[in-house]
Amino acid sequence: MRLTTWNVNGIRNPFSYQPWNTARTFPAMFDILGSDIVVMQELKIQRKDLRDDMVMLDGWDCYFSLPKHKKGYSGVGIYTRNATCAPIRAEEGLLGVLPSPSGVPYCELPEDESIGGYPSVLQVAELGVDPAALDAEGRCLVLEFPAFVLLGVYSPANSNGMRDNFRYGFVCALDCRIRNLVREGKRVVLVGDLNVSRDENDTASAVEDMRKSGITHEEYISTPNRRIFNQLLLEGEVAGERDEGRENGILWDTTRGFHPERRGMYTHWEQKINARPGNFGSRIDFVLVCESMRQWVKDANIQEGLLGSDHCPVYADFNDVVIWDGEDVKLLDMMNPPGTFQDGVRLRDWKVVDAPPFSAKRLPEFDKRRSIKSMFAVPSMKKSLSSEPSQLAAPSSSSVALSAPSQALGGEHASIAVSGNGDRTTPLIKEVPASPPLKRKVSASVMIKPSKRQKLDVEASKSKGQQSLKGFFQKSNPSPVKTSPPDNTDLVDERQESETPRTPVTKTQQAQVTPIIPENGVRTEAHAAGQEDASTPGSQFVSPTSAFSASPSQFSAKLAAVEENQKTWGALFSRPIAPLCEGHTEPCKTMQTKKKGSNQGRSFWMCARPLGPSGNKERGSQWRCPTFIWCSDWVARKGEEKESKEPG
């Protein structure tokens, strides 16, 4: 049996990477991981975001602890393979103050329905944190199997000192709950993203951080959260005397236990600095088991080659046969409710009703539902039709059948069923069955009503307003005027003036029409009609009237204005040219300063290559070089270069 923990940084985030983007389903993901229990952290969803493809998985049961208030924040989920394991109890939260599916807080449930190990009133008071707020962020799931109690945890991160008290209270509550469970005689397995490292071997930047802070090794391992964590571990390094109530370590670090001398065994890398290619990270994801289960684990490791998140999966493999009260027992017998397995052989199948009430499949929105696969597995029940056709009474034995299309056509094509005696004078209605009639087919002779979008009159569409974006910027050409014989010129002009409708001119159109004074100083209507504003994008479209009526000098000036306008718009929307880094002569990437101070919000250019294993910017290597340029300085430098290149 394999147990895997993975901070996925969003429940659907891995599906954007190989190999998860091939099938894009959770069962396929779990098969690639080869796990029977998968614990995921930082789901970043709420209960309303749960979907069928997350819950209704064939062969899997699932449990979720999601944030109650904050959206897209934290969240823990546990998937269990029904073929190998099934929990007997499940709950969320460390302190047991959240309501169970029955409405009663977990810590107040009867002993046979609760997992136990809840902190006492005094222990909760010593935390200094609101218990409801501590459990309401979706950071802990607790599942109990007959073999052990599993805690899937997503511990709060160090948010620049903003939530140090909350983080410290969570770590203390976790330590308290685990020790209480062990005192009750239960085996405990702790997995998840604990957001704390053991010592310098688990953090690439530890030496540099100690140098900047001016602290020693003893002070580094004695920071509040790291000290509590090391006291919880077997073989954890603690400076000075241990705290009261934490005299002994109780959990074994499986990954470090199988790889005690391995360096660079990191499970998390900072995405902002692209630290994963250079393996500049930290080990903050763990699979920890109690001391009595130490011999149960046959292997443990990290899977740093699997992408999909800023963390990598961490797993532990358990033996098929374990020692239980001095006897060899099949692990399958102890990972399922009593009576499900005996000597590794299944006695009865798993059903949804066997799952704890906290199971996601028993939520009201998913209860009594089946997956598509189960629908085809069970034969469907066919409904028998017992309705008898109703009969309509007729005054004579003759019958007439009038088809619906014939009635719609006024009876011209009506089909008449003639009786045996050949009497056509008395038409009768034929017997009609009770089944719903078929839809009537439209006859070819029936005129089809045009749809609303169909254009009925081309001329009418031409008379409408703007037909394209180009038409918004371009003026409509005046309609051609009919010519007439020279002897009737005055009459024709008066008639055309009376017949031609006058279109009212708005103030905007009046502002756009600017008279052009040609070289001879005489203003013409053709010049006025052909003038366009060169400051708008529509000035790119030069009307033929203005092109032929303007003088060569005016046309050249107008064309130059259009080209300049195009360059201005292009420079406004085009991406800035990136400078080349000093070490590799490659385009830099732009970043923004997030640290509070005078430079917060400023953008800068830096080398696009990933950070090296040393964590420092290096010269003459394949890793990131020390190139750094403020974006404002680069723009000013480009402006100076442009001015120096211009003649005169």
Side-chain angles (χ1 to χ4, degrees):
M1 188 191 75
R2 172 170 289 189
L3 169 62
T4 298
T5 177
W6 191 13
N7 182 320
V8 292
N9 194 23
I11 189 169
R12 296 192 186 276
N13 186 52
F15 294 144
S16 301
Y17 301 84
Q18 284 283 358
W20 325 112
N21 59 359
T22 304
R24 300 181 68 88
T25 62
F26 291 101
M29 175 194 292
F30 302 153
D31 290 339
I32 294 175
L33 291 173
S35 296
D36 300 285
I37 302 177
V38 181
V39 185
M40 295 192 294
Q41 302 90 37
E42 205 169 356
L43 304 182
K44 294 184 177 181
I45 60 172
Q46 291 181 299
R47 178 171 171 174
K48 63 181 181 61
D49 301 319
L50 291 174
R51 296 293 181 265
D52 287 0
D53 63 334
M54 304 177 187
V55 178
M56 307 302 293
L57 307 182
D58 290 314
W60 291 83
D61 195 13
C62 52
Y63 305 83
F64 297 97
S65 177
L66 304 174
K68 305 299 184 293
H69 308 295
K70 294 186 178 181
K71 183 179 180 181
Y73 183 79
S74 65
V76 179
I78 298 181
Y79 288 85
T80 59
R81 192 188 297 269
N82 299 332
T84 56
C85 57
I88 56 177
R89 299 180 187 89
E91 62 184 46
E92 64 174 332
L94 282 173
L95 307 178
V97 297
L98 295 179
S100 64
S102 63
V104 180
Y106 290 104
C107 60
E108 299 178 7
L109 289 173
E111 186 176 349
D112 58 341
E113 298 180 10
S114 62
I115 297 178
Y118 308 105
S120 63
V121 177
L122 180 60
Q123 290 173 331
V124 172
E126 292 176 350
L127 299 177
V129 182
D130 181 16
L134 190 72
D135 281 354
E137 291 193 359
R139 294 188 176 275
C140 181
L141 267 177
V142 187
L143 269 61
E144 183 176 6
F145 301 87
F148 55 80
V149 176
L150 172 65
L151 288 90
V153 171
Y154 174 49
S155 180
N158 183 15
S159 304
N160 298 325
M162 299 297 293
R163 305 184 70 196
D164 284 348
N165 293 335
F166 184 87
R167 185 186 182 200
Y168 182 76
F170 185 90
V171 175
C172 291
L174 180 64
D175 176 84
C176 181
R177 180 74 184 272
I178 292 174
R179 292 184 182 277
N180 289 348
L181 287 170
V182 172
R183 291 191 190 97
E184 294 179 2
K186 295 187 177 182
R187 297 175 174 86
V188 178
V189 176
L190 172 63
V191 302
D193 177 8
L194 302 183
N195 267 313
V196 62
S197 58
R198 294 181 56 172
D199 48 35
E200 297 93 327
N201 294 334
D202 288 341
T203 306
S205 62
V207 176
E208 184 67 16
D209 294 341
M210 292 168 58
R211 185 188 65 81
K212 290 181 178 180
S213 302
I215 60 176
T216 62
H217 167 74
E218 289 73 16
E219 293 173 331
Y220 180 80
I221 63 174
S222 298
T223 55
N225 298 300
R226 186 172 289 111
R227 178 178 176 84
I228 295 177
F229 180 57
N230 281 329
Q231 291 182 97
L232 185 64
L233 296 176
L234 295 168
E235 304 171 359
E237 184 178 3
V238 180
E241 296 183 359
R242 288 176 171 264
D243 299 341
E244 183 180 356
R246 303 187 180 106
E247 290 81 8
N248 299 313
I250 55 178
L251 296 181
W252 180 57
D253 186 355
T254 59
T255 312
R256 182 59 69 189
F258 281 92
H259 308 277
E261 303 298 331
R262 181 177 172 182
R263 296 282 182 172
M265 190 169 55
Y266 304 135
T267 64
H268 170 257
W269 303 266
E270 188 66 39
Q271 286 184 322
K272 295 180 181 179
I273 60 176
N274 194 16
R276 188 162 189 171
N279 194 27
F280 185 75
S282 58
R283 188 172 75 97
I284 57 178
D285 303 87
F286 299 89
V287 177
L288 311 174
V289 301
C290 61
E291 187 175 7
S292 60
M293 294 178 60
R294 191 166 182 168
Q295 302 301 324
W296 292 20
V297 184
K298 64 179 180 180
D299 188 23
N301 207 339
I302 66 173
Q303 295 177 293
E304 68 276 18
L306 291 178
L307 303 179
S309 172
D310 54 346
H311 294 248
C312 75
V314 182
Y315 71 88
D317 290 334
F318 292 84
N319 294 311
D320 295 334
V321 179
V322 298
I323 299 176
W324 184 273
D325 294 337
E327 299 180 359
D328 292 343
V329 180
K330 295 284 186 179
L331 185 60
L332 288 175
D333 298 352
M334 307 308 300
M335 291 300 297
N336 291 270
T340 304
F341 278 86
Q342 184 176 359
D343 295 333
V345 179
R346 180 176 287 276
L347 302 180
R348 61 185 181 90
D349 294 333
W350 182 90
K351 298 180 181 179
V352 177
V353 294
D354 298 331
F358 187 65
S359 170
K361 289 189 175 182
R362 299 188 63 176
L363 293 174
E365 54 265 40
F366 297 102
D367 192 18
K368 298 180 180 179
R369 292 177 57 185
R370 296 185 298 170
S371 63
I372 296 178
K373 184 177 179 180
S374 64
M375 290 179 184
F376 288 99
V378 180
S380 59
M381 301 297 293
K382 296 182 179 180
K383 295 182 179 180
S384 60
L385 301 177
S386 59
S387 60
E388 298 181 356
S390 60
Q391 298 181 355
L392 299 177
S396 173
S397 60
S398 302
S399 62
V400 179
L402 298 178
S403 63
S406 302
Q407 294 177 0
L409 296 176
E412 293 179 0
H413 303 283
S415 60
I416 304 175
V418 184
S419 61
N421 55 11
D423 186 8
R424 299 167 62 103
T425 59
T426 310
L428 299 177
I429 301 176
K430 194 175 181 179
E431 293 181 358
V432 182
S435 59
L438 297 175
K439 292 185 177 180
R440 181 177 61 186
K441 295 183 179 180
V442 180
S443 176
S445 61
V446 180
M447 182 179 295
I448 302 176
K449 185 179 179 181
S451 62
K452 294 182 180 180
R453 295 181 179 271
Q454 186 175 358
K455 296 182 179 180
L456 299 179
D457 190 357
V458 179
E459 296 297 333
S461 64
K462 290 183 178 180
S463 63
K464 292 181 179 180
Q466 173 190 341
Q467 299 297 323
S468 64
L469 182 62
K470 179 178 178 181
F472 176 77
F473 297 102
Q474 188 175 10
K475 297 179 177 62
S476 59
N477 295 329
S479 59
V481 181
K482 297 182 179 180
T483 59
S484 58
D487 53 346
N488 297 328
T489 302
D490 297 336
L491 296 177
V492 173
D493 291 341
E494 292 177 1
R495 189 182 303 112
Q496 289 175 354
E497 279 188 350
S498 62
E499 292 178 359
T500 303
R502 295 183 179 272
T503 305
V505 181
T506 62
K507 294 182 179 181
T508 306
Q509 294 174 346
Q510 292 177 359
Q512 291 177 351
V513 178
T514 306
I516 300 177
I517 307 301
E519 295 178 357
N520 54 11
V522 181
R523 177 188 177 189
T524 60
E525 295 298 331
H527 292 117
Q531 175 67 12
E532 291 184 359
D533 187 7
S535 63
T536 63
S539 61
Q540 301 174 10
F541 308 105
V542 182
S543 63
T545 306
S546 61
F548 286 104
S549 61
S551 63
S553 61
Q554 290 177 341
F555 183 80
S556 300
K558 189 177 185 67
L559 186 61
V562 171
E563 293 178 353
E564 184 65 24
N565 188 31
Q566 289 179 345
K567 291 181 180 180
T568 304
W569 283 97
L572 180 63
F573 292 105
S574 62
R575 298 185 62 181
I577 301 176
L580 302 180
C581 67
E582 301 172 358
H584 315 98
T585 320
E586 296 176 351
C588 296
K589 67 176 181 179
T590 180
M591 301 287 287
Q592 192 176 35
T593 306
K594 299 294 182 64
K595 187 177 181 180
K596 293 184 178 181
S598 59
N599 292 323
Q600 185 178 13
R602 293 187 65 185
S603 299
F604 59 90
W605 297 98
M606 63 181 298
C607 180
R609 292 203 176 189
L611 203 62
S614 64
N616 299 321
K617 300 172 183 178
E618 306 172 1
R619 296 182 183 271
S621 68
Q622 60 176 335
W623 305 111
R624 179 176 298 169
C625 66
T627 302
F628 180 90
I629 305 173
W630 290 111
C631 289
S632 56
D633 296 342
W634 174 247
V635 172
R637 188 186 308 176
K638 294 296 292 182
E640 294 175 358
E641 294 177 358
K642 183 178 179 181
E643 292 178 359
S644 62
K645 291 181 180 179
E646 293 180 356

